[in-house]
Amino acid sequence: MHLKTPGEHESRINIDGVEIALGFPDDFPFQWVGQEDSLHQLLASWLVIDAADIPLNPRLIGKPGVGKTTLAYAAAKKLQKNVFIYQCTMDTRPEDLLITPVIDERGSIRYVASSLVTAMIRGGVCILDEGNRMSEKSWASLAPLLDSRRYIESIVAGVKIPAHPDFRICVTMNDDASTFEIPEYIHSRLQPQIYLDFPEAEEEKRILKENLPFVEEEILNYVVAFLQRAHASQENYTVRDGINIARYAAKRLHSLAKNVDAESVLRQAIVMTLGEEAIAHTL
């Protein structure tokens, strides 16, 4: 394989005479707060301890909004690796996951690598986000990548691409009903399973402060208390919901008169974010 960079907008690689355009890494200001053991579990799964060893392909499982993608991103950055995020959907096709043919301005076919294949070639980390929204047909195209073979084969481009030794992958999966069952032969390749639960109150407050450093303490305390009561009642409200509630309440308070009742604004923000049923968990 020969990698060349023709300009600032695109990198290309030549594999067996086929030129493939590569993508760019994702860059976000994500910070992982709390649940250090989950971070250590993920890093351990990517560790290679012998020349005959290969990294594992962990999956992060939890309710939507508990920070699975953030955890994977933070772990990759701890290893000083570039991160490539692929958002899986029910419509994801094998060629979307691997290499897509497109028509360029001259009318000729151009092959473009997905974020997954780009990560494979560059030795980065790919996060397959919400992987259990994909169908079996798409998963089947990844079977040789997820075992000791560590390669993909693109029927569209007619090439076989081995993964760089530094390549790592992580799959996030939402624990909800709007997903597919993962086929068993893929299930066994996505190990270990790392479960993320709702954080404790102190961690939840730190996460809110990390994401909303401009929001007043009173708002953060109210939202944390609301979330903890909801967790105790087995509601699926998450830190992401809390961030949205606090952000909207802060905007409302900023735009209203100084003497407005902050608690009434927070209650309204909760209802507008989560619905009337959520009011049962307020003070």
Side-chain angles (χ1 to χ4, degrees), residues 139-152:
W139 275 115
S141 67
L142 299 185
L145 176 65
L146 301 175
D147 60 26
S148 59
R149 292 172 288 178
R150 283 176 58 87
Y151 71 77
I152 61 96

Side-chain angles (χ1 to χ4, degrees), residues 119-136:
M120 285 177 56
I121 292 170
R122 292 191 177 279
V125 171
C126 177
I127 302 171
L128 282 183
D129 208 15
E130 302 187 64
N132 51 344
R133 298 199 186 281
M134 288 199 306
S135 66
E136 180 176 356

Side-chain angles (χ1 to χ4, degrees), residues 26-271:
D26 294 289
D27 190 17
F28 300 109
F30 291 165
Q31 297 291 330
W32 182 245
V33 177
Q35 300 191 51
E36 287 296 314
D37 190 53
S38 298
L39 179 63
H40 294 153
Q41 289 175 29
L42 178 51
L43 291 171
S45 69
W46 283 340
L47 190 63
V48 173
I49 59 175
D50 187 85
D53 191 21
I54 59 171
L56 294 170
N57 312 308
R59 52 187 157 129
L60 303 179
I61 302 173
K63 300 295 182 185
V66 296
K68 299 181 294 296
T69 306
T70 301
L71 171 59
Y73 187 93
K77 287 302 181 182
K78 198 171 183 67
L79 297 178
Q80 299 183 322
K81 289 182 177 290
N82 284 328
V83 183
F84 300 82
I85 301 175
Y86 187 95
Q87 182 64 50
C88 303
T89 69
M90 291 186 291
D91 299 324
T92 298
R93 304 167 300 170
E95 57 266 37
D96 299 327
L97 272 175
L98 305 179
I99 296 174
T100 305
V102 298
I103 305 297
D104 65 18
E105 65 277 3
R106 296 168 298 182
S108 41
I109 294 178
R110 177 168 163 266
Y111 295 107
V112 179
S114 69
S115 51
L116 166 65
V117 173
T118 301
M120 285 177 56
I121 292 170
R122 292 191 177 279
V125 171
C126 177
I127 302 171
L128 282 183
D129 208 15
E130 302 187 64
N132 51 344
R133 298 199 186 281
M134 288 199 306
S135 66
E136 180 176 356
K137 187 175 182 180
S138 294
W139 275 115
S141 67
L142 299 185
L145 176 65
L146 301 175
D147 60 26
S148 59
R149 292 172 288 178
R150 283 176 58 87
Y151 71 77
I152 61 96
E153 190 164 10
S154 170
I155 304 302
V156 169
V159 294
K160 182 183 289 186
I161 302 175
H164 190 287
D166 292 335
F167 169 70
R168 301 292 186 270
I169 190 170
C170 177
V171 181
T172 74
M173 294 187 175
N174 286 335
D175 184 13
D176 62 24
S178 61
T179 56
F180 287 108
E181 285 292 325
I182 301 298
E184 181 55 38
Y185 68 93
I186 294 296
H187 197 279
S188 62
R189 287 168 162 85
L190 299 177
Q191 301 293 356
Q193 303 174 67
I194 300 172
Y195 289 89
L196 287 188
D197 205 348
F198 296 121
E200 299 295 330
E202 183 181 342
E203 288 182 345
E204 212 151 39
K205 175 108 178 256
R206 288 171 57 204
I207 294 169
L208 288 173
K209 290 188 78 168
E210 180 70 34
N211 285 272
L212 304 168
F214 50 86
V215 172
E216 293 180 6
E217 196 88 359
E218 178 187 4
I219 294 174
L220 300 182
N221 288 337
Y222 189 96
V223 171
V224 169
F226 163 78
L227 288 174
Q228 289 295 311
R229 283 192 296 274
H231 300 336
S233 300
Q234 304 302 311
E235 294 285 358
N236 289 333
Y237 306 144
T238 65
V239 176
R240 182 189 297 164
D241 297 320
I243 290 171
N244 289 332
I245 292 165
R247 192 188 299 275
Y248 182 65
K251 292 176 188 293
R252 285 282 290 158
L253 288 168
H254 185 78
S255 64
L256 295 171
K258 295 289 186 183
N259 58 352
V260 70
D261 178 33
E263 186 171 324
S264 65
V265 170
L266 277 158
R267 288 169 65 88
Q268 181 189 51
I270 289 170
V271 170

